[in-house]
Amino acid sequence: MLTLASKLKREEGVKTGRPPGGPSDSSHRVSIRDRLLIKEVAELEANLPSTCKASFPDENKLHHFQLAVSPDEGYYQSGTFHFEIDVPEAYNMVVRQLRTSSHLHLQPIFPMFLQLDWRPPLPPKVKCQTRIWHPNIAETGEICLSLLREHSIDGTGWAPTRTLKDVVWGLNSLFTDLLNFDDPLNIDAAEHHLRDKCILPSHVQLISQDLAH
């Protein structure tokens, strides 16, 4: 089975006039998303936090992978937490459609012009596969992480300048720097913290160890 990298080389060979080396070249074309991911996955693997491990069940599908986070400090340092990450086809695509349009009042000077249909860039979809007692992760797996927000008015949400490396570092930081009790998704966990900050660390470790195994 061809890997994405070999598909890209194959496609470039066709563009430069070199023999493709096999039939059905259209089936081996690499999408814009996958072109981005070939570079981003290489960058990710070169900058992966020591507490994280990324795995790709299918090396031809870089848009779907798993991440295991094993915190080495804080409340959750005794557990390993698994995330599933899916990158949509329109990942980091800002322009959805390019079309032509004509207006009578502009003719004959500008008989036809291009019209762009805009939409915000799409972030990866992330879900926690391990049940966990965490203020920013629901027990059903949903995650509250600002950089994964598709729509954000404060500038902290997803942007086309962000990459998979940012996603992985963000998820890793949910267990340390980005642990946020003030804007919780799991309200019970946050309220527990407010009720008794002294007992919470041992309580969280106990629950998370039980759920992570």
Side-chain angles (χ1 to χ4, degrees):
M1 184 179 292
L2 291 175
T3 64
L4 275 178
S6 63
K7 286 182 182 181
L8 184 56
K9 290 180 181 178
R10 184 187 185 95
E11 186 175 311
E12 290 174 345
V14 172
K15 289 181 179 179
T16 56
R18 294 193 298 269
S24 303
D25 295 314
S26 62
S27 64
H28 300 302
R29 290 176 182 168
V30 180
S31 69
I32 295 176
R33 174 198 63 186
D34 291 343
R35 286 174 179 272
L36 288 173
L37 293 182
I38 290 173
K39 297 178 181 179
E40 289 191 15
V41 168
E43 179 189 26
L44 170 63
E45 292 178 336
N47 296 277
L48 200 63
S50 60
T51 52
C52 295
K53 181 179 179 180
S55 58
F56 296 82
D58 188 338
E59 61 183 2
N60 289 300
K61 297 180 179 179
L62 299 182
H63 60 276
H64 177 77
F65 67 100
Q66 281 86 44
L67 179 72
V69 181
S70 302
D72 57 5
E73 61 177 314
Y75 298 162
Y76 303 92
Q77 61 181 336
S78 298
T80 297
F81 307 96
H82 300 272
F83 297 86
E84 186 172 74
I85 302 173
D86 284 289
V87 182
E89 186 66 40
Y91 172 68
N92 275 353
M93 298 281 289
V94 179
V95 180
R96 179 173 56 187
Q97 185 177 5
L98 181 66
R99 64 178 184 271
T100 59
S101 178
S102 60
H103 287 257
L104 293 177
H105 68 278
L106 293 177
Q107 295 180 351
I109 302 176
F110 301 107
M112 187 169 290
F113 65 93
L114 296 177
Q115 192 171 22
L116 297 177
D117 190 8
W118 296 91
R119 70 173 174 187
L122 294 179
K125 304 297 182 184
V126 183
K127 190 167 186 178
C128 184
Q129 300 296 310
T130 307
R131 289 189 62 202
I132 181 175
W133 185 250
H134 192 293
N136 310 119
I137 303 176
E139 290 188 63
T140 51
E142 289 78 14
I143 298 168
C144 180
L145 183 61
S146 59
L147 69 85
L148 291 175
R149 292 174 182 170
E150 184 176 340
H151 303 285
S152 176
I153 60 175
D154 58 4
T156 61
W158 188 257
T161 54
R162 298 191 187 277
T163 66
L164 292 182
K165 182 182 71 173
D166 298 312
V167 174
V168 169
W169 279 86
L171 292 173
N172 184 60
S173 295
L174 274 179
F175 299 96
T176 53
D177 302 341
L178 297 183
L179 183 61
N180 186 355
F181 291 96
D182 297 324
D183 184 22
L185 186 59
N186 184 333
I187 297 176
D188 289 340
E191 290 181 344
H192 192 167
H193 170 72
L194 294 175
R195 286 197 305 269
D196 199 331
K197 297 181 181 181
C198 296
I199 295 179
L200 182 63
S202 59
H203 184 71
V204 167
Q205 285 188 11
L206 180 64
I207 294 177
S208 296
Q209 286 178 37
D210 181 59
L211 294 177
H213 296 292

